[in-house]
Amino acid sequence: MDNPVPAALRLLRAPRRLGQRWGLRLPRRTVRLRLTALYGLLFLASGALLLVILNVAAHGWSSENTRSGPGGLAAFGLPPRGVPPTPPSVKELQQWQKAAQERFAAARAAQLNWLMEESAFALAGMALLSVGAGWVMAGRALRPLREMTAAAQAISADDLSGRLAVPGPSDEMKDLGDTIDSLLARLEAAFDAQRRFVANASHELRTPLAMMRTSVEVAAAKPGQAPPQVTELVSKVTEGLDQADRLLENFLTLARAQYGAKESQETISLGAVAARMLGGHSGEIAAKAIRAQQEDGGAQVTGNATLLARMAGNLISNAIRHNDRGGWLRIQTRAGQATVHLTVENGGGMLDPASVKQLAQPFRRLAGDRTGSAHGTGLGLSIVAAIAAAHNGSLQLHARPQGGLRAVVELPRALAASGPAAEPQATVTAPAGPAALPTSASSASAAQAGARE
């Protein structure tokens, strides 16, 4: 005999296939729904089998009972009591017997039909009741699983300190929850060890680099004319040391963003931070004749001021470094009801949208090189993404259809700054001529979307 469980599951899949063929949207096939359907199918199968057994038994009982019941043939045509009987003829006896048998059959059929109808109604009612009871019981049985799912979704890669902590008796659900908790504990220890190693290694490597730099500077400062080969070697070594210093500094910042962003929390103006970082890059902006514009919408955030300043500085530095000479740069801060947006948009060459989405990963560049101080260390946008994630935010990168990059950082709005957003104030920095900055549908829609949040 085949296993009824796979057959029941095939019956459950049939409506979904028909719904897909006809374009209907059926409810999601959850475990609760499948358990409820399985309970209902099993009850219907057992109820139908019980109904067949009862009707077979009732058929045999009705036949025997009507033959030997009280009254016999008198109940179906013989004269009643008190009436003087007359000797019936053989023909009359045969007619009475035939009529009695027909009435027996009709009465038995009526009884069986009535029993079948009542049993069918009872089975249908009990089937509905069993489906409802199965739905409730499946929900109660799966409630610990839903609580575990909600607790697991609240745990992020940046904070693995949360645990499921499943209460209740020692059953399969609790064993699963304890197993996941132990896995989270091992992952947290591994992540912490990795971050501490990166921070400690970056810090310890500063000492030998400082010694190398000192030795090179002392050798270069010796009196007398140094050979051209030595001068070139000193220049290359110094350039390599500068690049290593920047790389170590980025490693330290990345480790701090992933490990210590919750320290020194304060409420700051994101627009003021962006304006300060923009002013710090005024020399690079003037050297490339970039038209820079900032629009401050009064966005207030709560976080680590040093890391948020590094986040804005990296976005602005990236927009300047990968911009065309005589290009443009736009910085916008918008405050919504619950979130704030920092948008840094710049012109430049056409970019591949698929490649742009990977720029937030460490050591990812659009160019093929992985070294070279002229193009940075490949950690700038990774640090921005890490700082945004440490502040419960996100970084989104988009290639502009007209060329260039659009970076949007979304952060939670400071609780003390809840209320209607302030009116945006435009501040133009380092203009390079009367030409206005280009406008695009993407930037306009982004500003409107930020105002609607």
Side-chain angles (χ1 to χ4, degrees), residues 218-242:
V218 170
K222 288 183 177 180
Q225 183 68 25
Q229 296 85 354
V230 175
T231 304
E232 183 180 0
L233 179 61
V234 169
S235 176
K236 290 185 177 180
V237 172
T238 304
E239 182 181 354
L241 292 174
D242 292 340

Side-chain angles (χ1 to χ4, degrees), residues 253-420:
T253 304
L254 186 60
R256 184 183 179 189
Q258 295 176 341
Y259 192 71
K262 295 183 179 180
E263 300 176 357
S264 304
Q265 296 280 312
E266 56 182 303
T267 301
I268 60 176
S269 171
L270 198 58
V273 171
R276 187 169 68 252
M277 293 296 102
L278 185 62
H281 292 81
S282 58
E284 301 175 30
I285 293 175
K288 298 186 70 171
I290 296 176
R291 302 185 304 275
Q293 175 182 333
Q294 181 186 3
E295 297 179 7
D296 186 4
Q300 299 284 329
V301 295
T302 300
N304 189 293
T306 303
L307 292 178
L308 291 175
R310 182 62 180 271
M311 178 189 71
N314 281 11
L315 288 176
I316 296 174
S317 176
N318 183 80
I320 296 173
R321 182 183 299 113
H322 300 285
N323 210 328
D324 295 333
R325 182 173 183 82
W328 58 274
L329 168 64
R330 180 186 294 109
I331 304 173
Q332 296 176 333
T333 53
R334 289 289 183 269
Q337 294 296 329
T339 59
V340 299
H341 293 83
L342 169 62
T343 303
V344 179
E345 196 171 9
N346 63 275
M350 301 297 296
L351 304 177
D352 181 20
S355 301
V356 164
K357 296 183 181 300
Q358 301 178 359
L359 288 178
Q361 300 180 12
F363 302 108
R364 290 297 180 93
R365 299 186 184 91
L366 293 180
D369 60 319
R370 293 179 57 89
T371 60
S373 59
H375 301 285
T377 60
L379 292 174
L381 294 179
S382 302
I383 294 175
V384 173
I387 295 175
H391 290 81
N392 300 322
S394 62
L395 169 65
Q396 299 177 2
L397 301 175
H398 305 279
R400 299 184 69 256
Q402 299 83 6
L405 182 67
R406 179 171 173 264
V408 181
V409 175
E410 181 179 356
L411 298 173
R413 191 179 183 186
L415 297 179
S418 59

Side-chain angles (χ1 to χ4, degrees), residues 172-202:
E172 291 82 0
M173 291 292 184
K174 186 170 179 58
D175 292 342
L176 177 60
D178 294 342
T179 302
I180 295 177
D181 285 342
S182 62
L183 176 62
L184 289 174
R186 294 193 297 270
L187 287 176
E188 183 182 15
F191 273 60
D192 290 343
Q194 180 187 13
R195 291 165 182 169
R196 285 194 300 269
F197 172 78
V198 172
N200 294 335
S202 302

